[in-house]
Amino acid sequence: MKIAILSRNPKLYSTRRLVEACRTRGHEARVFDVLRCYMNITSHRPSIHYKGEHLSGFDAVIPRIGASVTSYGTAVLRQFEMMGVYPLNESVAISRARDKLRALQLLSRKGIGLPVTGFAHKPDDIADLIEMVGGTPLVIKLLEGSQGMGVVLAETHNAAKSVIESFLGLKASVLVQEFVKEAGGSDIRCLIVGDKVVAAIKRQARAGEFRANLHRGGEAMLVKITPEERSTAVRAAQTMGLNVAGVDILRSNHGPLVLEVNSSPGLEGIERASDKDIAGMIVEFTEKFARTGRTRTRGSG
Ligand code: ADP
């Protein structure tokens, strides 16, 4: 098969591993920087050009679209879809997962466990917003944040009020969330391929930190997950319509709570901790479904 990998940087671990996995399995793989793709959206003959070359003959496309290029990146992916190229994750599924509010609303509709969460753009009554999610301590998140940046723990009502006020002063929407203390500074990343959790790691925050992100100095280790965690992770990915996803879960006293569904999960931490060939599994899945020409998006909204 001829497989396009959309990634801004061919040197990234995940991109390199996907290229390698494609080639090991006898496929031709090419990496394209989405921002350098330009498109012709004429009726009947949608096309994509890259550095003067007309891209054609691709069987599948593996999107690795960074959060900062979601809009243009999903447009390029959509163009591949319109050309009949099989997308590992569909553009609409990526858009759903990237929009944190939309994602949480869709997950809640499916009855998937979530931390109690409020969101606001310009609330006139911040005290009421805080009470609405059960009071302090609570976690306040900037909607545009990633890798744990823009995630703050406010222990007291006054601290919460001033953090919310300053975030809103920056004209940013905020998400206000119950603090799941019993998670003890750790979260579980479940890597989904198809309908299965193929690997799960526990990320533990360093001492004195509640955010478990590896970028914030967290540590990753292999973990055994419960059947309830497994089914929660699979349902969360299916709700988004993602074939490949990283579902982040907090272990609470009342069961697994989904924090986020990541549509371009990093492979380095999870492959190293699990010693599994996840890139190979992703390419194998792509092979199986691209051949039948089936897209599997089941999410909606
Ligand atoms: P980002 O998308 O920037 O990584 P997250 O929402 O995943 O932000 O939060 C970063 C980390 O902070 C999580 O991995 C988790 O360890 C911790 N965390 C986030 N929300 C909560 C919460 N409501 N209760 C307890 N810990 C949390």
Side-chain angles (χ1 to χ4, degrees), residues 207-244:
E209 169 64 69
F210 78 101
R211 296 167 300 177
N213 304 71
L214 303 183
H215 290 95
R216 305 259 73 75
E219 231 186 290
M221 61 209 93
L222 208 56
V223 69
K224 193 164 162 42
I225 57 169
T226 65
E228 192 190 4
E229 288 165 346
R230 194 170 287 276
S231 75
T232 299
V234 169
R235 284 175 57 222
Q238 286 176 343
T239 303
M240 295 298 112
L242 292 168
N243 293 318
V244 169

PDB file of all heavy atoms in Angstrom, residues 207-244:
ATOM      1  N   ALA A 207       6.943  14.312  42.979  1.00  0.00           N
ATOM      2  CA  ALA A 207       6.495  14.735  44.311  1.00  0.00           C
ATOM      3  C   ALA A 207       6.094  16.206  44.313  1.00  0.00           C
ATOM      4  O   ALA A 207       6.763  17.041  43.705  1.00  0.00           O
ATOM      5  CB  ALA A 207       7.609  14.480  45.316  1.00  0.00           C
ATOM      6  N   GLY A 208       4.998  16.505  44.957  1.00  0.00           N
ATOM      7  CA  GLY A 208       4.567  17.896  45.091  1.00  0.00           C
ATOM      8  C   GLY A 208       3.829  18.436  43.872  1.00  0.00           C
ATOM      9  O   GLY A 208       3.522  19.617  43.794  1.00  0.00           O
ATOM     10  N   GLU A 209       3.544  17.571  42.918  1.00  0.00           N
ATOM     11  CA  GLU A 209       2.897  18.002  41.670  1.00  0.00           C
ATOM     12  C   GLU A 209       1.666  17.105  41.475  1.00  0.00           C
ATOM     13  O   GLU A 209       1.723  15.919  41.756  1.00  0.00           O
ATOM     14  CB  GLU A 209       3.917  17.825  40.520  1.00  0.00           C
ATOM     15  CG  GLU A 209       3.387  17.965  39.124  1.00  0.00           C
ATOM     16  CD  GLU A 209       2.854  19.357  38.817  1.00  0.00           C
ATOM     17  OE1 GLU A 209       3.654  20.295  38.746  1.00  0.00           O
ATOM     18  OE2 GLU A 209       1.615  19.489  38.675  1.00  0.00           O
ATOM     19  N   PHE A 210       0.541  17.681  41.035  1.00  0.00           N
ATOM     20  CA  PHE A 210      -0.637  16.821  40.826  1.00  0.00           C
ATOM     21  C   PHE A 210      -0.833  16.444  39.366  1.00  0.00           C
ATOM     22  O   PHE A 210      -1.614  15.572  39.036  1.00  0.00           O
ATOM     23  CB  PHE A 210      -1.905  17.484  41.388  1.00  0.00           C
ATOM     24  CG  PHE A 210      -2.471  18.564  40.504  1.00  0.00           C
ATOM     25  CD1 PHE A 210      -3.573  18.309  39.689  1.00  0.00           C
ATOM     26  CD2 PHE A 210      -1.898  19.828  40.473  1.00  0.00           C
ATOM     27  CE1 PHE A 210      -4.088  19.291  38.852  1.00  0.00           C
ATOM     28  CE2 PHE A 210      -2.404  20.819  39.642  1.00  0.00           C
ATOM     29  CZ  PHE A 210      -3.506  20.556  38.834  1.00  0.00           C
ATOM     30  N   ARG A 211      -0.072  17.098  38.488  1.00  0.00           N
ATOM     31  CA  ARG A 211      -0.223  16.822  37.053  1.00  0.00           C
ATOM     32  C   ARG A 211       0.754  15.731  36.631  1.00  0.00           C
ATOM     33  O   ARG A 211       1.962  15.862  36.810  1.00  0.00           O
ATOM     34  CB  ARG A 211       0.042  18.090  36.232  1.00  0.00           C
ATOM     35  CG  ARG A 211      -0.964  19.192  36.499  1.00  0.00           C
ATOM     36  CD  ARG A 211      -0.501  20.518  35.935  1.00  0.00           C
ATOM     37  NE  ARG A 211       0.764  20.942  36.517  1.00  0.00           N
ATOM     38  CZ  ARG A 211       1.427  22.030  36.155  1.00  0.00           C
ATOM     39  NH1 ARG A 211       0.960  22.793  35.204  1.00  0.00           N
ATOM     40  NH2 ARG A 211       2.565  22.340  36.738  1.00  0.00           N
ATOM     41  N   ALA A 212       0.198  14.669  36.057  1.00  0.00           N
ATOM     42  CA  ALA A 212       1.025  13.493  35.758  1.00  0.00           C
ATOM     43  C   ALA A 212       1.699  13.550  34.383  1.00  0.00           C
ATOM     44  O   ALA A 212       2.395  12.614  33.995  1.00  0.00           O
ATOM     45  CB  ALA A 212       0.152  12.243  35.858  1.00  0.00           C
ATOM     46  N   ASN A 213       1.506  14.634  33.632  1.00  0.00           N
ATOM     47  CA  ASN A 213       2.069  14.698  32.270  1.00  0.00           C
ATOM     48  C   ASN A 213       3.570  14.403  32.271  1.00  0.00           C
ATOM     49  O   ASN A 213       4.301  14.924  33.108  1.00  0.00           O
ATOM     50  CB  ASN A 213       1.895  16.109  31.685  1.00  0.00           C
ATOM     51  CG  ASN A 213       0.461  16.557  31.691  1.00  0.00           C
ATOM     52  OD1 ASN A 213      -0.083  16.836  32.737  1.00  0.00           O
ATOM     53  ND2 ASN A 213      -0.147  16.622  30.528  1.00  0.00           N
ATOM     54  N   LEU A 214       3.993  13.614  31.300  1.00  0.00           N
ATOM     55  CA  LEU A 214       5.420  13.298  31.188  1.00  0.00           C
ATOM     56  C   LEU A 214       6.218  14.576  30.929  1.00  0.00           C
ATOM     57  O   LEU A 214       7.338  14.724  31.389  1.00  0.00           O
ATOM     58  CB  LEU A 214       5.655  12.261  30.091  1.00  0.00           C
ATOM     59  CG  LEU A 214       4.885  10.939  30.277  1.00  0.00           C
ATOM     60  CD1 LEU A 214       5.237   9.940  29.178  1.00  0.00           C
ATOM     61  CD2 LEU A 214       5.135  10.320  31.645  1.00  0.00           C
ATOM     62  N   HIS A 215       5.594  15.517  30.200  1.00  0.00           N
ATOM     63  CA  HIS A 215       6.253  16.799  29.937  1.00  0.00           C
ATOM     64  C   HIS A 215       6.447  17.613  31.218  1.00  0.00           C
ATOM     65  O   HIS A 215       7.183  18.585  31.241  1.00  0.00           O
ATOM     66  CB  HIS A 215       5.445  17.638  28.943  1.00  0.00           C
ATOM     67  CG  HIS A 215       5.460  17.072  27.559  1.00  0.00           C
ATOM     68  ND1 HIS A 215       4.457  16.250  27.090  1.00  0.00           N
ATOM     69  CD2 HIS A 215       6.341  17.187  26.553  1.00  0.00           C
ATOM     70  CE1 HIS A 215       4.740  15.901  25.860  1.00  0.00           C
ATOM     71  NE2 HIS A 215       5.870  16.455  25.495  1.00  0.00           N
ATOM     72  N   ARG A 216       5.721  17.287  32.253  1.00  0.00           N
ATOM     73  CA  ARG A 216       5.838  17.987  33.540  1.00  0.00           C
ATOM     74  C   ARG A 216       6.690  17.170  34.514  1.00  0.00           C
ATOM     75  O   ARG A 216       6.609  17.338  35.712  1.00  0.00           O
ATOM     76  CB  ARG A 216       4.458  18.221  34.178  1.00  0.00           C
ATOM     77  CG  ARG A 216       3.449  18.953  33.327  1.00  0.00           C
ATOM     78  CD  ARG A 216       3.330  20.414  33.718  1.00  0.00           C
ATOM     79  NE  ARG A 216       4.483  21.186  33.301  1.00  0.00           N
ATOM     80  CZ  ARG A 216       4.733  21.570  32.054  1.00  0.00           C
ATOM     81  NH1 ARG A 216       3.914  21.270  31.079  1.00  0.00           N
ATOM     82  NH2 ARG A 216       5.797  22.249  31.764  1.00  0.00           N
ATOM     83  N   GLY A 217       7.449  16.226  33.986  1.00  0.00           N
ATOM     84  CA  GLY A 217       8.353  15.451  34.839  1.00  0.00           C
ATOM     85  C   GLY A 217       7.728  14.196  35.406  1.00  0.00           C
ATOM     86  O   GLY A 217       8.292  13.559  36.291  1.00  0.00           O
ATOM     87  N   GLY A 218       6.533  13.829  34.929  1.00  0.00           N
ATOM     88  CA  GLY A 218       5.883  12.597  35.400  1.00  0.00           C
ATOM     89  C   GLY A 218       6.636  11.365  34.911  1.00  0.00           C
ATOM     90  O   GLY A 218       7.438  11.431  33.983  1.00  0.00           O
ATOM     91  N   GLU A 219       6.367  10.254  35.576  1.00  0.00           N
ATOM     92  CA  GLU A 219       7.042   9.003  35.248  1.00  0.00           C
ATOM     93  C   GLU A 219       6.018   8.000  34.723  1.00  0.00           C
ATOM     94  O   GLU A 219       4.888   7.964  35.216  1.00  0.00           O
ATOM     95  CB  GLU A 219       7.589   8.432  36.559  1.00  0.00           C
ATOM     96  CG  GLU A 219       9.046   8.046  36.532  1.00  0.00           C
ATOM     97  CD  GLU A 219       9.377   7.379  37.851  1.00  0.00           C
ATOM     98  OE1 GLU A 219       9.402   8.090  38.875  1.00  0.00           O
ATOM     99  OE2 GLU A 219       9.566   6.163  37.841  1.00  0.00           O
ATOM    100  N   ALA A 220       6.404   7.180  33.746  1.00  0.00           N
ATOM    101  CA  ALA A 220       5.446   6.216  33.188  1.00  0.00           C
ATOM    102  C   ALA A 220       5.805   4.800  33.589  1.00  0.00           C
ATOM    103  O   ALA A 220       6.974   4.441  33.611  1.00  0.00           O
ATOM    104  CB  ALA A 220       5.454   6.332  31.671  1.00  0.00           C
ATOM    105  N   MET A 221       4.799   4.024  33.946  1.00  0.00           N
ATOM    106  CA  MET A 221       5.040   2.611  34.216  1.00  0.00           C
ATOM    107  C   MET A 221       3.856   1.800  33.718  1.00  0.00           C
ATOM    108  O   MET A 221       2.744   2.326  33.578  1.00  0.00           O
ATOM    109  CB  MET A 221       5.280   2.374  35.705  1.00  0.00           C
ATOM    110  CG  MET A 221       4.117   2.761  36.591  1.00  0.00           C
ATOM    111  SD  MET A 221       4.672   3.276  38.232  1.00  0.00           S
ATOM    112  CE  MET A 221       4.817   5.049  38.026  1.00  0.00           C
ATOM    113  N   LEU A 222       4.137   0.551  33.446  1.00  0.00           N
ATOM    114  CA  LEU A 222       3.081  -0.329  32.948  1.00  0.00           C
ATOM    115  C   LEU A 222       2.059  -0.555  34.058  1.00  0.00           C
ATOM    116  O   LEU A 222       2.414  -0.625  35.220  1.00  0.00           O
ATOM    117  CB  LEU A 222       3.738  -1.666  32.587  1.00  0.00           C
ATOM    118  CG  LEU A 222       3.057  -2.480  31.503  1.00  0.00           C
ATOM    119  CD1 LEU A 222       2.920  -1.674  30.232  1.00  0.00           C
ATOM    120  CD2 LEU A 222       3.888  -3.724  31.246  1.00  0.00           C
ATOM    121  N   VAL A 223       0.790  -0.670  33.683  1.00  0.00           N
ATOM    122  CA  VAL A 223      -0.223  -0.881  34.716  1.00  0.00           C
ATOM    123  C   VAL A 223      -1.261  -1.889  34.214  1.00  0.00           C
ATOM    124  O   VAL A 223      -1.499  -1.993  33.015  1.00  0.00           O
ATOM    125  CB  VAL A 223      -0.897   0.467  35.083  1.00  0.00           C
ATOM    126  CG1 VAL A 223      -1.751   1.000  33.955  1.00  0.00           C
ATOM    127  CG2 VAL A 223      -1.736   0.354  36.348  1.00  0.00           C
ATOM    128  N   LYS A 224      -1.818  -2.620  35.147  1.00  0.00           N
ATOM    129  CA  LYS A 224      -2.888  -3.541  34.787  1.00  0.00           C
ATOM    130  C   LYS A 224      -4.196  -2.810  35.062  1.00  0.00           C
ATOM    131  O   LYS A 224      -4.390  -2.266  36.145  1.00  0.00           O
ATOM    132  CB  LYS A 224      -2.779  -4.791  35.677  1.00  0.00           C
ATOM    133  CG  LYS A 224      -3.625  -5.932  35.176  1.00  0.00           C
ATOM    134  CD  LYS A 224      -3.198  -7.240  35.838  1.00  0.00           C
ATOM    135  CE  LYS A 224      -4.259  -8.310  35.710  1.00  0.00           C
ATOM    136  NZ  LYS A 224      -4.910  -8.397  34.421  1.00  0.00           N
ATOM    137  N   ILE A 225      -5.057  -2.765  34.053  1.00  0.00           N
ATOM    138  CA  ILE A 225      -6.305  -2.019  34.254  1.00  0.00           C
ATOM    139  C   ILE A 225      -7.470  -2.972  34.490  1.00  0.00           C
ATOM    140  O   ILE A 225      -7.413  -4.144  34.132  1.00  0.00           O
ATOM    141  CB  ILE A 225      -6.609  -1.072  33.058  1.00  0.00           C
ATOM    142  CG1 ILE A 225      -6.674  -1.838  31.736  1.00  0.00           C
ATOM    143  CG2 ILE A 225      -5.585   0.044  32.981  1.00  0.00           C
ATOM    144  CD1 ILE A 225      -7.216  -0.997  30.591  1.00  0.00           C
ATOM    145  N   THR A 226      -8.523  -2.436  35.086  1.00  0.00           N
ATOM    146  CA  THR A 226      -9.695  -3.259  35.411  1.00  0.00           C
ATOM    147  C   THR A 226     -10.583  -3.378  34.163  1.00  0.00           C
ATOM    148  O   THR A 226     -10.503  -2.542  33.256  1.00  0.00           O
ATOM    149  CB  THR A 226     -10.526  -2.605  36.530  1.00  0.00           C
ATOM    150  OG1 THR A 226     -11.059  -1.368  36.013  1.00  0.00           O
ATOM    151  CG2 THR A 226      -9.681  -2.318  37.770  1.00  0.00           C
ATOM    152  N   PRO A 227     -11.481  -4.375  34.142  1.00  0.00           N
ATOM    153  CA  PRO A 227     -12.406  -4.485  33.008  1.00  0.00           C
ATOM    154  C   PRO A 227     -13.252  -3.218  32.855  1.00  0.00           C
ATOM    155  O   PRO A 227     -13.550  -2.805  31.724  1.00  0.00           O
ATOM    156  CB  PRO A 227     -13.290  -5.684  33.392  1.00  0.00           C
ATOM    157  CG  PRO A 227     -12.468  -6.491  34.355  1.00  0.00           C
ATOM    158  CD  PRO A 227     -11.601  -5.506  35.093  1.00  0.00           C
ATOM    159  N   GLU A 228     -13.600  -2.573  33.949  1.00  0.00           N
ATOM    160  CA  GLU A 228     -14.405  -1.339  33.875  1.00  0.00           C
ATOM    161  C   GLU A 228     -13.597  -0.209  33.214  1.00  0.00           C
ATOM    162  O   GLU A 228     -14.113   0.541  32.381  1.00  0.00           O
ATOM    163  CB  GLU A 228     -14.844  -0.940  35.290  1.00  0.00           C
ATOM    164  CG  GLU A 228     -15.909   0.143  35.283  1.00  0.00           C
ATOM    165  CD  GLU A 228     -16.181   0.724  36.669  1.00  0.00           C
ATOM    166  OE1 GLU A 228     -15.483   0.348  37.641  1.00  0.00           O
ATOM    167  OE2 GLU A 228     -17.086   1.575  36.764  1.00  0.00           O
ATOM    168  N   GLU A 229     -12.307  -0.126  33.571  1.00  0.00           N
ATOM    169  CA  GLU A 229     -11.449   0.896  32.955  1.00  0.00           C
ATOM    170  C   GLU A 229     -11.291   0.610  31.460  1.00  0.00           C
ATOM    171  O   GLU A 229     -11.333   1.513  30.621  1.00  0.00           O
ATOM    172  CB  GLU A 229     -10.082   0.918  33.655  1.00  0.00           C
ATOM    173  CG  GLU A 229     -10.172   1.521  35.047  1.00  0.00           C
ATOM    174  CD  GLU A 229      -8.965   1.258  35.950  1.00  0.00           C
ATOM    175  OE1 GLU A 229      -8.127   0.383  35.625  1.00  0.00           O
ATOM    176  OE2 GLU A 229      -8.886   1.905  36.995  1.00  0.00           O
ATOM    177  N   ARG A 230     -11.128  -0.647  31.156  1.00  0.00           N
ATOM    178  CA  ARG A 230     -10.975  -1.063  29.759  1.00  0.00           C
ATOM    179  C   ARG A 230     -12.200  -0.668  28.950  1.00  0.00           C
ATOM    180  O   ARG A 230     -12.112  -0.046  27.894  1.00  0.00           O
ATOM    181  CB  ARG A 230     -10.784  -2.589  29.744  1.00  0.00           C
ATOM    182  CG  ARG A 230     -10.279  -3.178  28.463  1.00  0.00           C
ATOM    183  CD  ARG A 230      -9.899  -4.645  28.684  1.00  0.00           C
ATOM    184  NE  ARG A 230      -8.666  -4.790  29.448  1.00  0.00           N
ATOM    185  CZ  ARG A 230      -7.447  -4.736  28.923  1.00  0.00           C
ATOM    186  NH1 ARG A 230      -7.295  -4.550  27.625  1.00  0.00           N
ATOM    187  NH2 ARG A 230      -6.378  -4.867  29.675  1.00  0.00           N
ATOM    188  N   SER A 231     -13.385  -1.003  29.455  1.00  0.00           N
ATOM    189  CA  SER A 231     -14.569  -0.718  28.656  1.00  0.00           C
ATOM    190  C   SER A 231     -14.842   0.787  28.609  1.00  0.00           C
ATOM    191  O   SER A 231     -15.308   1.302  27.589  1.00  0.00           O
ATOM    192  CB  SER A 231     -15.780  -1.517  29.139  1.00  0.00           C
ATOM    193  OG  SER A 231     -16.281  -0.977  30.320  1.00  0.00           O
ATOM    194  N   THR A 232     -14.512   1.501  29.669  1.00  0.00           N
ATOM    195  CA  THR A 232     -14.688   2.965  29.645  1.00  0.00           C
ATOM    196  C   THR A 232     -13.808   3.580  28.557  1.00  0.00           C
ATOM    197  O   THR A 232     -14.258   4.427  27.780  1.00  0.00           O
ATOM    198  CB  THR A 232     -14.302   3.572  31.031  1.00  0.00           C
ATOM    199  OG1 THR A 232     -15.172   3.016  32.010  1.00  0.00           O
ATOM    200  CG2 THR A 232     -14.410   5.079  31.032  1.00  0.00           C
ATOM    201  N   ALA A 233     -12.554   3.131  28.493  1.00  0.00           N
ATOM    202  CA  ALA A 233     -11.618   3.694  27.507  1.00  0.00           C
ATOM    203  C   ALA A 233     -12.092   3.392  26.083  1.00  0.00           C
ATOM    204  O   ALA A 233     -12.087   4.266  25.209  1.00  0.00           O
ATOM    205  CB  ALA A 233     -10.222   3.128  27.740  1.00  0.00           C
ATOM    206  N   VAL A 234     -12.528   2.160  25.850  1.00  0.00           N
ATOM    207  CA  VAL A 234     -12.970   1.779  24.504  1.00  0.00           C
ATOM    208  C   VAL A 234     -14.217   2.574  24.113  1.00  0.00           C
ATOM    209  O   VAL A 234     -14.309   3.122  23.006  1.00  0.00           O
ATOM    210  CB  VAL A 234     -13.243   0.248  24.430  1.00  0.00           C
ATOM    211  CG1 VAL A 234     -13.953  -0.127  23.140  1.00  0.00           C
ATOM    212  CG2 VAL A 234     -11.941  -0.524  24.583  1.00  0.00           C
ATOM    213  N   ARG A 235     -15.151   2.707  25.056  1.00  0.00           N
ATOM    214  CA  ARG A 235     -16.381   3.460  24.744  1.00  0.00           C
ATOM    215  C   ARG A 235     -16.076   4.939  24.492  1.00  0.00           C
ATOM    216  O   ARG A 235     -16.702   5.577  23.647  1.00  0.00           O
ATOM    217  CB  ARG A 235     -17.393   3.305  25.872  1.00  0.00           C
ATOM    218  CG  ARG A 235     -18.069   1.919  25.842  1.00  0.00           C
ATOM    219  CD  ARG A 235     -18.989   1.724  27.039  1.00  0.00           C
ATOM    220  NE  ARG A 235     -20.000   2.757  27.126  1.00  0.00           N
ATOM    221  CZ  ARG A 235     -20.372   3.360  28.267  1.00  0.00           C
ATOM    222  NH1 ARG A 235     -19.801   3.047  29.396  1.00  0.00           N
ATOM    223  NH2 ARG A 235     -21.324   4.265  28.252  1.00  0.00           N
ATOM    224  N   ALA A 236     -15.113   5.480  25.231  1.00  0.00           N
ATOM    225  CA  ALA A 236     -14.767   6.895  25.036  1.00  0.00           C
ATOM    226  C   ALA A 236     -14.219   7.112  23.620  1.00  0.00           C
ATOM    227  O   ALA A 236     -14.607   8.051  22.921  1.00  0.00           O
ATOM    228  CB  ALA A 236     -13.765   7.348  26.087  1.00  0.00           C
ATOM    229  N   ALA A 237     -13.335   6.210  23.180  1.00  0.00           N
ATOM    230  CA  ALA A 237     -12.761   6.348  21.825  1.00  0.00           C
ATOM    231  C   ALA A 237     -13.860   6.172  20.777  1.00  0.00           C
ATOM    232  O   ALA A 237     -13.930   6.916  19.789  1.00  0.00           O
ATOM    233  CB  ALA A 237     -11.648   5.316  21.626  1.00  0.00           C
ATOM    234  N   GLN A 238     -14.750   5.217  21.006  1.00  0.00           N
ATOM    235  CA  GLN A 238     -15.841   4.983  20.048  1.00  0.00           C
ATOM    236  C   GLN A 238     -16.793   6.178  19.983  1.00  0.00           C
ATOM    237  O   GLN A 238     -17.306   6.508  18.919  1.00  0.00           O
ATOM    238  CB  GLN A 238     -16.618   3.719  20.444  1.00  0.00           C
ATOM    239  CG  GLN A 238     -15.842   2.447  20.123  1.00  0.00           C
ATOM    240  CD  GLN A 238     -16.557   1.187  20.596  1.00  0.00           C
ATOM    241  OE1 GLN A 238     -17.470   1.248  21.423  1.00  0.00           O
ATOM    242  NE2 GLN A 238     -16.136   0.046  20.079  1.00  0.00           N
ATOM    243  N   THR A 239     -17.011   6.810  21.124  1.00  0.00           N
ATOM    244  CA  THR A 239     -17.905   7.976  21.140  1.00  0.00           C
ATOM    245  C   THR A 239     -17.344   9.092  20.258  1.00  0.00           C
ATOM    246  O   THR A 239     -18.084   9.807  19.591  1.00  0.00           O
ATOM    247  CB  THR A 239     -18.101   8.475  22.596  1.00  0.00           C
ATOM    248  OG1 THR A 239     -18.610   7.389  23.364  1.00  0.00           O
ATOM    249  CG2 THR A 239     -19.046   9.647  22.671  1.00  0.00           C
ATOM    250  N   MET A 240     -16.017   9.217  20.252  1.00  0.00           N
ATOM    251  CA  MET A 240     -15.397  10.226  19.389  1.00  0.00           C
ATOM    252  C   MET A 240     -15.367   9.747  17.943  1.00  0.00           C
ATOM    253  O   MET A 240     -15.210  10.538  17.030  1.00  0.00           O
ATOM    254  CB  MET A 240     -13.947  10.490  19.834  1.00  0.00           C
ATOM    255  CG  MET A 240     -13.797  11.097  21.208  1.00  0.00           C
ATOM    256  SD  MET A 240     -14.558  12.711  21.335  1.00  0.00           S
ATOM    257  CE  MET A 240     -15.884  12.334  22.431  1.00  0.00           C
ATOM    258  N   GLY A 241     -15.453   8.425  17.733  1.00  0.00           N
ATOM    259  CA  GLY A 241     -15.320   7.875  16.389  1.00  0.00           C
ATOM    260  C   GLY A 241     -13.863   7.671  16.004  1.00  0.00           C
ATOM    261  O   GLY A 241     -13.526   7.624  14.819  1.00  0.00           O
ATOM    262  N   LEU A 242     -12.991   7.554  17.005  1.00  0.00           N
ATOM    263  CA  LEU A 242     -11.556   7.394  16.724  1.00  0.00           C
ATOM    264  C   LEU A 242     -11.166   5.919  16.703  1.00  0.00           C
ATOM    265  O   LEU A 242     -11.557   5.164  17.599  1.00  0.00           O
ATOM    266  CB  LEU A 242     -10.728   8.106  17.796  1.00  0.00           C
ATOM    267  CG  LEU A 242     -10.803   9.638  17.819  1.00  0.00           C
ATOM    268  CD1 LEU A 242     -10.185  10.186  19.104  1.00  0.00           C
ATOM    269  CD2 LEU A 242     -10.119  10.240  16.598  1.00  0.00           C
ATOM    270  N   ASN A 243     -10.411   5.514  15.709  1.00  0.00           N
ATOM    271  CA  ASN A 243      -9.889   4.144  15.656  1.00  0.00           C
ATOM    272  C   ASN A 243      -8.650   3.998  16.520  1.00  0.00           C
ATOM    273  O   ASN A 243      -8.404   2.949  17.094  1.00  0.00           O
ATOM    274  CB  ASN A 243      -9.521   3.774  14.219  1.00  0.00           C
ATOM    275  CG  ASN A 243     -10.747   3.685  13.340  1.00  0.00           C
ATOM    276  OD1 ASN A 243     -11.762   3.155  13.757  1.00  0.00           O
ATOM    277  ND2 ASN A 243     -10.648   4.223  12.131  1.00  0.00           N
ATOM    278  N   VAL A 244      -7.843   5.048  16.512  1.00  0.00           N
ATOM    279  CA  VAL A 244      -6.638   5.050  17.348  1.00  0.00           C
ATOM    280  C   VAL A 244      -6.751   6.253  18.284  1.00  0.00           C
ATOM    281  O   VAL A 244      -7.026   7.364  17.831  1.00  0.00           O
ATOM    282  CB  VAL A 244      -5.371   5.148  16.475  1.00  0.00           C
ATOM    283  CG1 VAL A 244      -4.145   5.422  17.330  1.00  0.00           C
ATOM    284  CG2 VAL A 244      -5.183   3.856  15.686  1.00  0.00           C
TER     285      VAL A 244
END
